């Protein structure tokens, strides 16, 4: 019960958050930020709480930020 399941293949925008954001709820962390739908490809470092994202339509736009997890509890903000 103290574990978090990290998953992809369900884009976070389908879970109700903006496509560049990660989703967290009930012990689950969604990290698919919609590359297959024309949004972002993300890399997540859970140890440091850093999320790297690259726009698939404008690949020169790379962002690095502290993880922004909508609805999170117990994970880095």
């Amino acid at each position: 019960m103290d574990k978090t399941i990290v998953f992809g293949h369900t884009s976070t925008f389908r879970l109700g958050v903006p496509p560049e954001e990660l989703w967290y709820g009930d012990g689950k962390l969604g990290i698919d930020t919609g590359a297959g739908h024309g949004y972002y490809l993300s890399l997540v470092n859970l140890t440091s709480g850093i999320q790297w994202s690259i726009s698939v339509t404008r690949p020169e736009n790379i962002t690095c930020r502290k993880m922004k997890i909508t609805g999170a509890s117990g994970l880095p903000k």
Side-chain angles (χ1 to χ4, degrees), residues 24-75:
Y24 182 79
D26 195 29
K28 296 179 275 297
L29 175 63
I31 61 170
D32 184 330
T33 50
H37 298 280
Y39 292 111
Y40 300 88
L41 177 65
S42 290
L43 171 110
V44 179
N45 182 328
L46 298 173
T47 303
S48 66
I50 299 291
Q51 173 190 358
W52 290 84
S53 297
I54 185 168
S55 169
V56 296
T57 57
R58 297 187 50 104
E60 65 276 7
N61 292 344
I62 300 173
T63 59
C64 176
R65 63 181 166 183
K66 200 70 170 154
M67 288 170 43
K68 183 175 183 183
I69 304 170
T70 302
S73 62
L75 289 176

